[in-house]
Amino acid sequence: MVEIFINDKKFKVAKNTKLLDTCKKNNIYIPTLCYHPDFPGFAGCRLCVVEVRKKNESKLVAACEYPIRSIERFYTESEMVKKSRRMTAKLLIARAPEAKEILEEIINEKIEPEFDTLNVQNKRCVLCGLCYRLCHKQGTAAIYTAGRGADKVVQTPYKDANEDCIGCGSCVAICPTGAIRMIDSNGKRALWYHQFELLKCPICGEQHITNQMLLYEMQKTGLSETELSICPRCRREKMGQEMLRGICHEKIVTVK
Amino acid sequence: MKTLFLLCGDVGCRGYESRQVYDKFLELKADWFDIKFTGCQGLCANGPILQVKPGDIFYQKVKSSDVFEILEKTQKNELVERLLYTDSETKKRYIRTDQVPFYKKQTKIILRTNGLINPKSIDDYIAMGGYAGLKKALTLQPENIVDEILKSGLRGRGGGGFPAGRKWEDVFNAFETPKYIICNGDEGDPGAFMDRSLMEGTPHVVLEGMTIAAFAVGSNEGFIYVRDEYPIAVRNLQKGIHDARKKGLLGENIFGSGFQFDIKIKRGAGAFVCGESSALMRSIEGKIGEPHEKHIHASEQGLWGKPTLLNNVETYANVPYIILNGAKNYKKMGTVDSPGTKVFSLVGKVRNAGLIEVEMGTTLREIIFEIGGGIVKNRPFKAVQTGGPSGGCIPSEYLDLPVDFDSLKAVGSIMGSGGMIVMDDCDCMVEVARYFTKFLMEESCGKCAPCREGLVQVYRILEGITQGRGSLEDLRKLKELGEYIASSSLCGLGRSAPNPLLSTLRYFEDEYIDHIKNKYCVAGVCKVLTKFEINIVKCTKCGLCFKACPVDAIKILDDGCYKIIEENCIRCGECRSACTFNAIRW
Ligand SMILES: Cc1cc2nc3c(=O)[nH]c(=O)nc-3n(C[C@H](O)[C@H](O)[C@H](O)COP(=O)(O)O)c2cc1C
Ligand code: SF4
Ligand code: SF4
Ligand code: FES
């Protein structure tokens, strides 16, 4: 166990606990954007910065990845922290002006635009990296980042329909800013340059799953086609419990 | 004794056709002499360089048409006067290498054999005392080697200056196995060639240093990560590894001691950020070379999650010397906190551009004005940028600063890997900041927001200022952005990227204000803010400017004077560079 101070309050935590986890457990709010408990180790958005104060110097660390290892003093709302956080938000809205409200909600204050808007196509994507990390984690690996620095974008290879994409919409579901377009209409789903055929639930008739998803899940879970083509709601009703694990099937949302 | 000609065959000199000179020597081959095509001999600006032994005669700017005369005169014990180094001020000629001012102030430990041996010959290296360090190390206890490195105070030469011994100790103490050794030869700094010269010129010293490290920390497998643009380094290292294996200096049972170690070469992924340690390890693992938070050291969990010792090329090259001569003797060189020497690539507006090695604590003035021979065309010195693209610009008031890791940091720059770019009054400091910010912005991996988004905004503002669109408000923004990027970025690239910006703001704020308020670029670089004129008092009517102007914007007047027609001038500054009388005013 290590004794630490957060905002001058003493806490005792197990060594190597991440600072963010400690704060969460103790209801100390830390804004986060790129963090997700299922795939840690990114620390890219830097909204979660916290000041570590030493005798005569201070530094900022990303709480989501910072392991607590020794007695240290952390400040989560100091001037230094707020300044950095505000700047990050201002810079992010210069890239993604349409993500302004969401960012304001995350950092809990109004953002005054200060910089010229960048000339990028997607006015919502803040490059948190959640979508492609999820896509890789679930094994489909259909989207990647292309380009470096400010030219970085989330894309399918060659900006074209990618055979690896199964049209599950996990990326859409996890995106904090609604930056990925997915349109379900007339039994079709448009996503990442693809047109997917949506299959009907044999019980309620809801069009909920693409053919590719069905095949992918059959392979991955070993369940039968009939079992998988039943929509989650009916399945739950039918079986009284969730049987399916493995793929983030449940996270699908539909963007109108 | 046979006469030995040592001809530099490294990058700089090859650019001046040293290959042809070498071929000429081969063509005229005779029994009384040997010719060696060596690694970098240092004074690249005056290449091809040729040294003659015995006698240590130093020839520069040798052409293949000179070879016959050189051979003839050497045989008669005469000199080829016109090929000797001549001081451009005093017109004094120097004969021996160690008298040439460029070499006089240098202390060669790392580069000792560079330029004296054929890089591809392991026998040459051994004849110069190579592998004696390894032989000695294998008779010591590993903990004693670690201790010696700790005591030597050796600090990492890859940029950070982290005490090498501390890393070695951590890896030595790590429980997990296997342990890995990595040599960082990525050298992504544009224009830098220290590590390259070493890997190309004396590959064995790197191999030897790594093998000693491996024995000390208990590793059997090593990697050298070589920048992709260095095919000759790869070739020479590969040859070196092959030869060392054949001689039993690498592989199983090294020197018959039972110790086993082997080295593989990995080609870099071609990105500046891949030189950063966590990105480099990902890249070796075959993943995308993006940096990661490093709260857990590589000595605990590095390559493939195993304890890993990562050091720079030059750091390893120090090791054989320390083992052979002892920490005590090593510490006699350099300063208390930064012992030893440092290799720099000295470039820019300095007369003797090239590769140098000096003791830590040598002052900037000694480096630039004694070794470097001062500023080209005797123009005034303005600043020196140390440490590669993310280094700071140091103004003339710090010329007497003794160069070491901490002193450079104190003035807002870094040691980096040892790049040194000298600037004169024709270099605009806002433009310098813009230029390096652009490089770093394009090399940012784009993973974290401060570096990705911050640098592009800094760049836009700087570009605006150089194009006459700046406002005083911009200066506040720049400062705020710079401090933010430095404090909030994920990896060292972002954390050091604002150095060019912040150091120029700190020392050359006047220049920024000139650009903004007076719409005037004092260096005559920013096109919109510059106007060139001919100073008729200084003009000798030689017409050099007239010939140099690429757009024919210079006219001859009836009285033989020259005049720049402002409307046609594209402000490229070619006339200014061409004029030998400093008669172009701006
Ligand atoms: C953006 C970036 C680029 C770097 N490039 C290099 C490089 O080209 N060569 C190198 O040795 N170290 C480089 N480093 C430093 C390495 O991360 C690491 O500190 C070093 O290789 C460790 O070796 P040392 O302790 O012997 O210096 C770089 C660091 C950063 C942040
Ligand atoms: S699309 Fe959404 S999830 Fe993906 S990087 Fe952009 S903001 Fe993050
Ligand atoms: S500081 Fe720059 S290079 Fe480093 S992780 Fe962040 S974006 Fe990538
Ligand atoms: S949540 Fe920690 S850096 Fe994004």
Side-chain angles (χ1 to χ4, degrees):
Chain A
M1 295 299 262
V2 188
E3 226 171 56
I4 56 161
F5 293 85
I6 304 177
N7 302 334
D8 293 325
K9 231 176 107 184
K10 197 193 278 179
F11 295 92
K12 259 195 162 149
V13 293
K15 201 170 166 181
N16 283 330
T17 317
K18 296 278 157 77
L19 178 57
L20 179 65
D21 293 335
T22 310
C23 290
K24 274 194 169 161
K25 214 169 114 197
N26 294 293
N27 283 324
I28 300 167
Y29 181 69
I30 308 271
T32 62
L33 180 61
C34 70
Y35 172 78
H36 193 288
D38 286 350
F39 18 94
F42 195 71
C45 75
R46 316 307 281 182
L47 275 179
C48 68
V49 288
V50 165
E51 177 184 348
V52 186
R53 202 174 292 171
K54 301 235 167 81
K55 248 194 225 115
N56 40 23
E57 55 165 3
S58 275
K59 62 171 183 180
L60 292 174
V61 298
C64 64
E65 270 301 298
Y66 192 78
I68 293 167
R69 296 194 135 189
S70 55
I71 311 174
E72 277 178 313
R73 293 185 164 273
F74 299 101
Y75 292 86
T76 65
E77 293 295 330
S78 64
E79 239 351 273
M80 189 180 183
V81 169
K82 281 195 197 149
K83 228 172 130 181
S84 166
R85 212 188 265 164
R86 250 176 235 145
M87 187 60 103
T88 304
K90 273 184 196 171
L91 289 167
L92 285 176
I93 63 160
R95 161 176 299 275
E98 293 174 23
K100 185 162 181 275
E101 283 81 39
I102 294 153
L103 285 168
E104 283 176 339
E105 203 177 300
I106 291 174
I107 70 164
N108 240 329
E109 65 179 270
K110 281 257 167 276
I111 308 167
E112 296 299 328
E114 184 175 336
F115 302 105
D116 295 344
T117 309
L118 299 183
N119 183 20
V120 289
Q121 231 178 13
N122 194 324
K123 296 276 179 249
R124 282 178 175 268
C125 176
V126 289
L127 290 170
C128 69
L130 284 169
C131 52
Y132 71 86
R133 282 186 283 154
L134 172 55
C135 190
H136 284 247
K137 173 129 181 164
Q138 74 182 12
T140 38
I143 48 175
Y144 298 80
T145 54
R148 286 208 286 253
D151 293 332
K152 194 167 198 155
V153 282
V154 177
Q155 265 299 347
T156 54
Y158 311 111
K159 284 194 171 191
D160 202 355
N162 181 355
E163 285 310 311
D164 292 334
C165 179
I166 57 170
C168 66
S170 301
C171 51
V172 181
I174 203 168
C175 178
T177 61
I180 305 172
R181 260 166 72 94
M182 178 167 94
I183 299 168
D184 283 3
S185 74
N186 297 330
K188 290 235 161 61
R189 165 172 296 174
L191 178 66
W192 291 118
Y193 314 101
H194 257 296
Q195 281 281 353
F196 294 96
E197 207 66 56
L198 286 173
L199 305 180
K200 280 191 179 130
C201 168
I203 299 174
C204 69
E206 195 200 309
Q207 294 176 308
H208 71 105
I209 188 169
T210 69
N211 204 14
Q212 287 86 336
M213 277 166 82
L214 194 72
L215 292 174
Y216 188 80
E217 287 181 32
M218 277 163 65
Q219 217 183 30
K220 221 174 155 170
T221 61
L223 296 176
S224 74
E225 185 175 339
T226 15
E227 277 172 291
L228 285 165
S229 57
I230 299 173
C231 77
R233 194 162 1 105
C234 297
R235 197 182 318 136
R236 229 181 326 252
E237 267 166 32
K238 192 160 160 264
M239 301 178 201
Q241 58 165 313
E242 191 192 340
M243 291 245 330
L244 193 68
R245 284 197 184 82
I247 192 156
C248 321
H249 195 133
E250 318 277 296
K251 287 188 181 149
I252 295 165
V253 286
T254 310
V255 175
K256 272 163 238 99
Chain B
M1 188 180 160
K2 256 188 176 183
T3 305
L4 177 60
F5 290 99
L6 297 161
L7 176 67
C8 179
D10 208 10
V11 235
C13 287
R14 250 182 288 131
Y16 294 117
E17 310 197 322
S18 68
R19 181 91 232 174
Q20 277 86 325
V21 181
Y22 182 64
D23 290 342
K24 195 78 195 173
F25 268 107
L26 291 185
E27 194 187 310
L28 301 173
K29 182 113 198 68
D31 276 344
W32 63 274
F33 74 89
D34 268 332
I35 168 85
K36 276 195 175 136
F37 214 29
T38 72
C40 182
Q41 302 190 3
L43 192 46
C44 310
N46 295 359
I49 305 290
L50 177 73
Q51 293 187 68
V52 190
K53 283 188 183 279
D56 279 340
I57 298 157
F58 181 86
Y59 289 133
Q60 60 178 26
K61 301 187 184 168
V62 178
K63 288 191 288 296
S64 53
S65 53
D66 297 325
V67 175
F68 189 79
E69 188 186 345
I70 293 171
L71 288 173
E72 210 179 39
K73 293 214 164 146
T74 309
Q75 238 180 339
K76 285 195 254 168
N77 255 330
E78 288 169 22
L79 295 168
V80 187
E81 296 270 342
R82 72 191 143 80
L83 297 177
L84 294 172
Y85 179 89
T86 316
D87 192 296
S88 56
E89 295 288 286
T90 59
K91 303 291 173 222
K92 185 174 162 178
R93 289 203 161 144
Y94 296 87
I95 299 168
R96 290 169 54 96
T97 311
D98 55 3
Q99 295 168 339
V100 174
F102 177 79
Y103 294 99
K104 218 170 162 181
K105 279 255 164 173
Q106 296 195 45
T107 309
K108 297 211 174 191
I109 300 301
I110 312 293
L111 298 176
R112 188 176 59 94
T113 55
N114 228 48
L116 295 181
I117 62 169
N118 172 357
K120 292 203 183 115
S121 161
I122 189 169
D123 293 326
D124 270 19
Y125 179 65
I126 292 173
M128 296 287 293
Y131 285 105
L134 174 61
K135 194 169 179 185
K136 180 174 174 193
L138 291 173
T139 65
L140 304 172
Q141 290 302 314
E143 53 266 44
N144 294 347
I145 301 175
V146 173
D147 211 44
E148 203 64 18
I149 298 296
L150 260 174
K151 276 198 216 131
S152 74
L154 173 66
R155 293 173 71 172
R157 303 295 199 243
F162 190 82
R166 293 245 303 276
K167 273 193 203 173
W168 288 38
E169 193 175 31
D170 286 348
V171 181
F172 175 85
N173 286 331
F175 286 116
E176 267 207 76
T177 50
K179 297 177 182 176
Y180 296 107
I181 301 276
I182 302 177
C183 171
N184 189 344
D186 197 42
E187 195 165 60
D189 305 13
F193 49 91
M194 297 76 57
D195 294 348
R196 172 188 197 152
S197 297
L198 208 49
M199 291 186 285
E200 291 184 357
T202 319
H204 285 288
V205 74
V206 183
L207 304 179
E208 187 184 355
M210 285 178 73
T211 312
I212 296 173
F215 178 69
V217 304
S219 160
N220 304 110
E221 198 174 351
F223 296 90
I224 309 181
Y225 190 86
V226 188
R227 179 173 172 179
D228 200 41
E229 290 93 330
Y230 290 176
I232 297 173
V234 171
R235 227 183 303 144
N236 290 3
L237 284 166
Q238 245 152 9
K239 172 96 171 67
I241 291 171
H242 179 82
D243 292 346
R245 276 191 202 132
K246 272 213 314 229
K247 280 217 184 308
L249 306 175
L250 207 58
E252 284 165 27
N253 199 13
I254 296 173
F255 269 121
S257 67
F259 171 61
Q260 177 191 338
F261 179 64
D262 214 341
I263 298 175
K264 287 198 189 79
I265 294 176
K266 292 270 173 183
R267 303 286 293 260
F272 177 64
V273 75
C274 284
E276 194 276 339
S277 55
S278 64
L280 183 146
M281 286 189 269
R282 297 281 152 150
S283 176
I284 293 183
E285 290 169 5
K287 298 183 189 138
I288 296 174
E290 274 182 6
H292 287 257
E293 285 278 1
K294 290 189 293 196
H295 300 300
I296 297 169
H297 288 296
S299 48
E300 254 176 81
Q301 286 177 24
L303 194 59
W304 290 296
K306 301 292 179 194
T308 302
L309 176 67
L310 176 87
N311 276 130
N312 164 263
V313 170
E314 196 184 323
T315 314
Y316 285 121
N318 272 287
V319 171
Y321 182 91
I322 295 172
I323 296 301
L324 264 183
N325 300 283
K328 225 176 170 176
N329 283 319
Y330 183 77
K331 284 203 81 150
K332 285 186 191 147
M333 291 178 297
T335 60
V336 177
D337 292 323
S338 305
T341 62
K342 178 78 192 85
V343 180
F344 292 100
S345 62
L346 184 62
V347 296
K349 304 283 176 58
V350 59
R351 279 207 185 94
N352 302 330
L355 187 73
I356 64 165
E357 181 178 354
V358 292
E359 280 190 42
M360 295 268 193
T362 308
T363 65
L364 286 169
R365 192 184 300 280
E366 287 169 304
I367 293 175
I368 297 165
F369 287 91
E370 294 184 32
I371 297 171
I375 310 297
V376 178
K377 283 197 198 174
N378 265 337
R379 298 205 77 98
F381 167 89
K382 189 187 239 175
V384 55
Q385 201 230 15
T386 69
S390 44
C393 295
I394 306 172
S396 56
E397 62 241 51
Y398 292 113
L399 269 175
D400 291 310
L401 187 81
V403 174
D404 67 29
F405 286 104
D406 310 307
S407 64
L408 288 176
K409 205 163 168 202
V411 296
S413 188
I414 50 172
M415 177 74 86
S417 50
M420 241 185 220
I421 305 175
V422 179
M423 302 174 194
D424 65 7
D425 62 339
C426 299
D427 289 302
C428 164
M429 301 318 282
V430 186
E431 168 59 20
V432 165
R434 187 203 67 88
Y435 176 84
F436 287 113
T437 305
K438 178 160 195 274
F439 173 84
L440 294 161
M441 166 184 91
E442 285 168 354
E443 290 298 330
S444 153
C445 81
K447 182 177 181 179
C448 77
C451 170
R452 180 188 67 228
E453 311 295 348
L455 288 176
V456 65
Q457 297 295 349
V458 169
Y459 174 73
R460 287 174 156 219
I461 297 174
L462 287 174
E463 194 180 35
I465 297 177
T466 59
Q467 294 177 352
R469 290 183 273 112
S471 70
L472 286 178
E473 167 70 4
D474 284 344
L475 295 185
R476 181 197 59 80
K477 273 193 200 174
L478 283 175
K479 191 150 179 288
E480 217 173 283
L481 275 168
E483 281 163 5
Y484 158 78
I485 298 167
S487 68
S488 306
S489 293
L490 193 162
C491 86
L493 191 154
R495 286 178 180 263
S496 60
N499 283 334
L501 167 74
L502 292 175
S503 63
T504 49
L505 268 178
R506 176 164 156 196
Y507 299 121
F508 300 96
E509 196 180 10
D510 290 354
E511 247 181 80
Y512 280 84
I513 293 173
D514 254 354
H515 280 71
I516 293 168
K517 267 177 124 171
N518 309 330
K519 304 286 172 217
Y520 172 60
C521 173
V522 67
V525 170
C526 299
K527 293 191 168 40
V528 188
L529 312 175
T530 296
K531 194 173 125 187
F532 288 107
E533 264 173 9
I534 294 172
N535 179 344
I536 33 177
V537 181
K538 285 192 179 172
C539 175
T540 61
K541 303 181 185 157
C542 70
L544 281 174
C545 56
F546 178 76
K547 286 186 204 129
C549 180
V551 293
D552 294 334
I554 301 180
K555 240 178 47 181
I556 316 179
L557 301 179
D558 292 342
D559 55 356
C561 282
Y562 291 89
K563 187 177 164 37
I564 299 174
I565 311 297
E566 210 193 319
E567 303 88 75
N568 300 348
C569 173
I570 55 166
R571 295 168 180 89
C572 63
E574 289 293 332
C575 52
R576 174 172 66 181
S577 322
C579 179
T580 33
F581 307 98
N582 287 341
I584 310 277
R585 197 168 49 196
W586 62 92

